Each structure stands twice: as C-alpha cells, then as structure tokens.
Amino acid sequence: MPMSPGYVPFHPNPSKPKYKPPPGAVDTHCHVFGPEAKFPFAPERKYTPCDAPKEKLFALRDFLGFDKNVIVQASAHSKDNRAMVDALGAASGRAKGIAFVGEEVTDEELAWMNKAGVRGVRFNFLKRLVDYTPRDVLQRIVKRVQKFDWQIVVYFEMPDLPGLEDFLTALPTIVVVDHMGTPDVKKGVDHPENQRFHRLMDRHGNFWVKVSCPERMSVAGPPYDDVAPFGRALVERFPDRVIWGSDWPHPNVKVAPDDGVLVDYIPKIAPTAELQRKLLVDNPMRLYWS
Ligand code: 0GY
C-alpha cells in the first residue's frame, strides 16, 4: 500500500550526535510501523506511513547512544498493538510500551500486554489522527487498566487544554503529556496558554511531561533554538517529572528531522549533567522500569 500523499519517511542517514547521553538513557517516545506485510495498518487510520520496523529502531537507539525505548502505539496501527508488542518481545528487556485500546479490549489482551511490558494507554485527542471517543468510554478504560498500575499518556494541542483540563485532572493515574502539550512557540513561554499548562503541572503532582518534538513546533527549524526555552522552562521547573523522546520515525512531519540534531538539542533544555541524568535516566526508569 503506498504511503499517504505528502508523507515523509524518516531521515535515511542521521548524523552522529556530539552530545553523549549518560549510560542507561531512555528514549521514551518512539514508534514502530509494520512491516506492513506482517503487521498491516489499520483500516480506520488517517495516514499511511512508511515501514519503520523494530530492527531499524533498535539500530538507531544504539547509534544515538541510548540504552532503552518506550514504544508508543501510533494511530496508523490503531487498536492492533501486535507490532508494538512484537518489538517489546525482541528488545531483551530494553523496551516498554504504551498501547492504544478501545472498550472492546478483553481482560486477557490487557494481561497479555502487561506481561509483555506495556505500562500504559494513550488517549489521543487530535482530530486529524483519530475519531472521537466519548469521555465516559475513556473513563471506563482507565478503571480497567488501573489494576496494572498503568499510566495514561495524553496527546492534545494546547488550544484544546481548557476543554480537557477537568477530564485530565480527574484521572486517578499518572498522566504523561506528549510533546509539552504542543505550545505555539510564536506566543512565547510566558503566554497565558503555556502558563496555564505550567500551573496544571504545578498543582497536579501526578502529571509528567515529555519535552519532545521541537521539530513539530519550531518555526525557525533546526537546531530548534526557538523551542528550547519551552523545554528548558519545564525541565528547570519540574526536574523530576520530565522525560525525553525522539519521536522516531516522526509521523506526519513535513521535513524528516536529523535524529542526531534532536539529540544535540537535549543539553539546550537540560544544561547540567544532573538535569540530563534525571531527564534521560532517573525519571524514565522510575516511570517505566520500577
Ligand atoms: C506522534 C505524533 C503524531 C502521530 C501519532 O499516533 C500517531 O499517529 O502520534 C502526529 O502526527 O502528530 O506522537 O508521533
């Protein structure tokens, strides 16, 4: 099946980063796609990606100087989590997963995923990626996964936060926000919209945030200096609740980012060795491996 028109495959030849992550570093946001011949994409998907199989992900992990991955189920595979679980099984304990499920998921499937290393489910609120799921359905899913102590990963766009805040802050689990809540970098770190998100993080100690995806928000482009103040503000204010992810293979970006440049962005948002260790090792280990 051809890729969606305009779909950009991942960078074929990323540069070796100058920044060397500390031993045991975890990339907490990446995906696997297919291979389609073995793990077909979902009929209800909103885009058709390129194949991005586990072998390529693990090779990139090693090349970039990382030790572990958290593989997030992407919408092109929808509720068929087999490609992600297959990758967990091949990772020799060095990968955990975040699933996407509907109410129809069985308790056996949940137990199977938990045993394989799944540590949470993702609620995706982006209309361009998924169909709407009523909140009461999501609440029932939360109840069912609580026995595994799973986290809820949420992907929303910042203008939608006011409408989601009551729902999100009522969640009884750890809540992990994707991509800094996707602020509009043109508005600046101090803009009320972004500060509302900081206040939410401040008031709710169960909220964590991925300081990931500068390439999705940048206006200036690489090396993403216009996004760095947003990441740095979160890392410095919430040093024990931030994690980092590459987002490989970068679904739906217009220009495939150089993954080496994304790794070299890390010291811009976490300028000290201590902050880097928390961001890349201590925090993700506490969240996914304890
Ligand atoms: C991401 C972002 C995107 C895609 C998905 O589930 C997905 O398909 O997450 C996106 O298009 O913004 O987190 O990788």
Side-chain angles (χ1 to χ4, degrees):
M1 187 183 305
M3 291 184 293
S4 293
Y7 190 91
V8 181
F10 52 87
H11 198 292
N13 189 21
S15 60
K16 187 82 179 166
K18 290 177 210 64
Y19 172 66
K20 200 170 170 308
V26 187
D27 173 355
T28 67
H29 189 96
C30 48
H31 312 285
V32 287
F33 289 123
E36 193 187 2
K38 188 164 179 203
F39 301 112
F41 300 124
E44 69 270 32
R45 70 192 178 284
K46 308 290 185 207
Y47 63 90
T48 301
C50 60
D51 274 347
K54 58 182 185 276
E55 295 81 5
K56 285 228 179 327
L57 174 67
F58 298 153
L60 182 76
R61 172 199 67 197
D62 296 345
F63 177 76
L64 296 177
F66 279 74
D67 186 53
K68 299 184 183 70
N69 297 112
V70 179
I71 305 174
V72 178
Q73 175 75 357
S75 61
H77 278 300
S78 192
K79 296 164 189 162
D80 179 353
N81 291 278
R82 283 176 302 159
M84 181 268 290
V85 169
D86 172 70
L88 301 186
S92 309
R94 292 164 67 192
K96 300 287 183 183
I98 298 296
F100 180 65
V101 302
E103 268 208 288
E104 63 284 359
V105 70
T106 64
D107 287 339
E108 289 71 29
E109 283 169 312
L110 291 175
W112 166 69
M113 288 194 274
N114 186 57
K115 195 155 179 259
V118 169
R119 301 303 306 131
V121 289
R122 190 185 200 203
F123 292 168
N124 188 331
F125 295 99
L126 269 66
K127 293 178 200 74
R128 69 179 169 82
L129 290 175
V130 289
D131 295 327
Y132 178 77
T133 306
R135 304 278 152 84
D136 55 316
V137 173
L138 298 179
Q139 277 154 347
R140 288 198 291 274
I141 291 172
V142 172
K143 281 213 174 74
R144 298 212 15 229
V145 303
Q146 263 186 290
K147 66 167 174 281
F148 300 116
D149 208 17
W150 282 7
Q151 62 183 246
I152 307 296
V153 174
V154 293
Y155 189 19
F156 60 81
E157 288 175 337
M158 206 164 258
D160 295 330
L161 180 58
L164 280 169
E165 202 166 324
D166 286 348
F167 171 77
L168 297 179
T169 55
L171 290 171
T173 62
I174 284 180
V175 178
V176 180
V177 176
D178 278 344
H179 314 335
M180 305 194 293
T182 66
D184 180 344
V185 299
K186 292 193 291 306
K187 291 178 177 167
V189 175
D190 294 332
H191 189 275
E193 209 173 70
N194 193 49
Q195 286 306 310
R196 181 181 185 128
F197 177 59
H198 277 232
R199 274 201 308 282
L200 184 154
M201 288 285 302
D202 212 20
R203 286 188 192 138
H204 299 274
N206 61 324
F207 273 67
W208 293 55
V209 59
K210 291 178 194 160
V211 284
S212 46
C213 285
E215 75 285 5
R216 290 187 185 276
M217 291 158 236
S218 181
V219 178
Y224 314 118
D225 287 343
D226 55 339
V227 191
F230 288 79
R232 185 162 171 168
L234 287 166
V235 169
E236 289 184 338
R237 191 159 174 191
F238 308 105
D240 297 312
R241 287 186 282 140
V242 285
I243 52 179
W244 179 88
S246 67
D247 194 33
W248 188 88
H250 315 287
N252 296 314
V253 294
K254 292 195 177 59
V255 181
D258 176 339
D259 301 278
V261 173
L262 287 171
V263 172
D264 280 332
Y265 168 84
I266 294 171
K268 295 181 187 185
I269 59 171
T272 68
E274 189 191 353
L275 288 172
Q276 290 162 13
R277 200 195 64 241
K278 285 176 181 238
L279 175 68
L280 299 174
V281 185
D282 298 354
N283 297 347
M285 287 308 288
R286 211 160 71 245
L287 196 52
Y288 294 103
W289 267 271
S290 67

